[in-house]
Amino acid sequence: QGPAEADAPAAAPPKPPDAVEALALASAAPRGVYVHGGVGTGKTFLMDLFFEGCPVPKQRVHFHEFMLGVHRSLHELKASAPDEDKPLRAVADQILDTGWLVCFDEFQVTDIADALIMKSLFEELFAGGGVVVATSNRPPNDLYKNGIQRQLFAPFIPLLEARCVVHSVEASETDYRLAIGASSESAGVYLDVGDDDGWRAVAERLVRRRPKVVSLALATDAGRAVAVPRADLASRAAWFTFDELCGDNRGASDFLAVARAFDALFIDEIPRLDMRDLNRTRRFITLIDALYEQDVIVVCRAAAPPFSLFVEDKNAVDGANDHGDLLGDATYVHKGARDEAFAFDRTASRITEMGSTDYLARAAARRVAKGHSVVDILDVSGDALDADALFAAADVDGSGQLDDDEFAALLEELSEKTRGHRNVQRLEFEHARRALDADGDGVVTKAEWRAGLESPELRQLLRPEPADGESARAVVVCGYGPVGRAAAAAVVQR
């Protein structure tokens, strides 16, 4: 033994688990499952089969959306209970109250804010009897690989492996999304840049009528605002260029807000991407994940086919720009092309599936079942409508109130249903808004919507009698009765 070896300090013994970690590791709850493998190998399909057949209190959530909810709950708790000394335990208890079986799709850690709380959060979940079932493209040891301060995240990995059976489907060589795309007709929603005729034809097919284009802003769970430059509110369709979505500093919460608000999204001018474009590449990956998870129909005009959009070229790295923000609010350290190519394979696979008629039919059916747009509600409702459902469908920006554009879009669709056209005159609009906007603040709240539509004064709201020889119109607003029957604004020609 040499002097250097003799003087070397002994290796520190492993740190014993703290009380919460010990409870988590000793939990009597069943172990969960962590399934990882390549894109399109059926991981989500298997998890969904399990979820649907498991008769226990449960919840299924995309991992990005879950972590955004955790951060939001922590923020709210800090404001409402600043003296709470165990905020993560309180948030974990809220999660477990919703369902102790938590199924995560696309388990991936890309944000340092998530990485720093993962171990403590999941210790509380496991200690409270939670069971985790997750799908991921990566094995546990590759989670948050190359991430900033990964040493603070690393202790989460053995906890995850202890509480979940880790199963690999890496050996599967079949991408079932591509198989679905190949076996299903193309829906004609993935177009070449410059295909103006195809672009217009798809818009006519999906929107089903001439769109009334307005701009709006969406509030995100993170308290940001996402500008939507062009949208048709009644059909919940929106138009963006690639740079309007992915050129600025945007993250998962921004893309989730867009995905929740719209049923159809048109993305124009999608370029080829390479390693010089880390920020836009990672944002596009996150965008497609959000749209796919929320069943959004996506129409693209792109510079190349899906699997040729990202060029894996290790030499195409700009040394001045080798740090990306990954999801708009995290830090990414470039370690070669593998990470981008790996992630973009999933994106290209999903875009291919999203371009099939099978996906469009499935997505449309799910969105209609959710009663997401005014058009869909009116199409399937017959004479009976739920006032709250109609209000929620009209409230595209999720603000809890209808502004002028949203209220006008709602009146136009009601007019289409009852009169066969969408031509609502300005005076008709003003009469209807004044009747419902009880406090005169220029917007209609849900309470005003309910109260106004049930008031007798609005059953027949007439304009002044016309002068001789002139044509007059009477505005008739039919209210919701106690059983929630339909309300409509109708113009009667005299």
Side-chain angles (χ1 to χ4, degrees), residues 175-386:
D175 185 336
Y176 291 100
R177 293 194 192 108
L178 296 185
I180 291 170
S183 64
S184 172
E185 270 186 67
S186 168
V189 295
Y190 194 90
L191 308 168
D192 294 332
V193 168
D195 186 354
D196 294 336
D197 291 340
W199 187 254
R200 283 191 295 268
V202 176
E204 290 171 3
R205 176 157 50 95
L206 294 180
V207 179
R208 292 178 289 177
R209 62 202 70 198
R210 183 178 180 181
K212 181 177 181 180
V213 177
V214 299
S215 60
L216 69 153
L218 304 175
T220 74
D221 290 340
R224 293 157 57 98
V226 181
V228 181
R230 295 165 296 280
D232 179 67
L233 301 182
S235 60
R236 290 211 177 213
W239 289 260
F240 291 88
T241 65
F242 177 87
D243 275 339
E244 286 169 343
L245 281 169
C246 302
D248 291 330
N249 186 25
R250 300 204 186 281
S253 62
D254 303 308
F255 297 136
L256 280 170
V258 172
R260 289 168 179 163
F262 298 107
D263 294 345
L265 203 69
F266 293 75
I267 309 175
D268 202 2
E269 301 174 10
I270 301 174
R272 279 180 180 264
L273 301 162
D274 60 30
M275 294 302 295
R276 287 177 291 249
D277 235 338
L278 290 178
N279 283 343
R280 296 198 304 169
T281 299
R282 299 299 302 192
R283 291 176 197 140
F284 187 58
I285 290 168
T286 307
L287 169 66
I288 295 299
D289 282 347
L291 298 176
Y292 183 88
E293 185 69 19
Q294 296 293 324
D295 301 316
V296 179
I297 295 172
V298 180
V299 183
C300 300
R301 277 205 294 196
F307 279 93
S308 299
L309 279 176
F310 178 74
V311 180
E312 183 183 354
D313 181 2
K314 295 180 181 179
N315 298 317
V317 179
D318 181 353
N321 188 32
D322 63 356
H323 288 66
D325 64 9
L326 190 62
L327 296 179
D329 47 14
T331 303
Y332 176 81
V333 181
H334 170 66
K335 297 291 184 181
R338 180 179 178 274
D339 286 348
E340 282 67 39
F342 189 91
F344 206 90
D345 275 350
R346 180 182 75 247
T347 299
S349 175
R350 286 187 160 179
I351 291 173
T352 300
E353 182 189 348
M354 293 164 86
S356 70
T357 53
D358 281 355
Y359 175 86
L360 259 65
R362 186 171 73 249
R366 288 176 180 172
R367 304 289 283 202
V368 169
K370 293 176 185 177
H372 198 239
S373 76
V374 172
V375 172
D376 288 336
I377 288 179
L378 294 177
D379 280 350
V380 303
S381 64
D383 290 332
L385 289 177
D386 183 325

Side-chain angles (χ1 to χ4, degrees), residues 29-46:
R31 290 177 75 196
V33 182
Y34 181 98
V35 182
H36 67 91
V39 298
T41 52
K43 303 183 297 293
T44 299
F45 179 76
L46 289 173

Side-chain angles (χ1 to χ4, degrees), residues 30-185:
R31 290 177 75 196
V33 182
Y34 181 98
V35 182
H36 67 91
V39 298
T41 52
K43 303 183 297 293
T44 299
F45 179 76
L46 289 173
M47 186 183 74
D48 286 345
L49 283 177
F50 167 75
F51 181 82
E52 290 169 9
C54 199
V56 301
K58 59 191 177 182
Q59 51 187 307
R60 182 199 182 283
V61 64
H62 191 278
F63 190 71
H64 279 325
E65 191 170 357
F66 173 79
M67 290 307 299
L68 287 169
V70 167
H71 289 295
R72 182 174 64 252
S73 295
L74 287 172
H75 178 75
E76 292 171 352
L77 190 63
K78 184 178 180 180
S80 62
D83 297 330
E84 173 62 59
D85 61 343
K86 292 182 172 63
L88 279 173
R89 178 171 298 178
V91 171
D93 287 344
Q94 293 173 8
I95 294 166
L96 295 172
D97 284 345
T98 302
W100 56 260
L101 172 62
V102 188
C103 292
F104 293 114
D105 195 25
E106 299 296 344
F107 196 106
Q108 55 180 325
V109 185
T110 53
D111 191 312
I112 189 172
D114 294 345
L116 293 177
I117 66 170
M118 288 288 288
K119 182 173 183 288
S120 297
L121 172 65
F122 277 80
E123 281 177 351
E124 297 290 359
L125 289 174
F126 290 135
V131 175
V132 168
V133 174
T135 71
S136 179
N137 288 338
R138 297 179 178 276
N141 279 330
D142 283 353
L143 290 172
Y144 199 50
K145 193 171 184 178
N146 303 325
I148 294 294
Q149 295 184 314
R150 189 175 188 265
Q151 73 277 8
L152 300 178
F153 168 81
F156 167 70
I157 295 171
L159 174 68
L160 179 65
E161 292 176 328
R163 292 304 309 154
C164 292
V165 176
V166 178
H167 182 76
S168 171
V169 291
E170 292 284 358
S172 174
E173 297 180 355
T174 303
D175 185 336
Y176 291 100
R177 293 194 192 108
L178 296 185
I180 291 170
S183 64
S184 172
E185 270 186 67

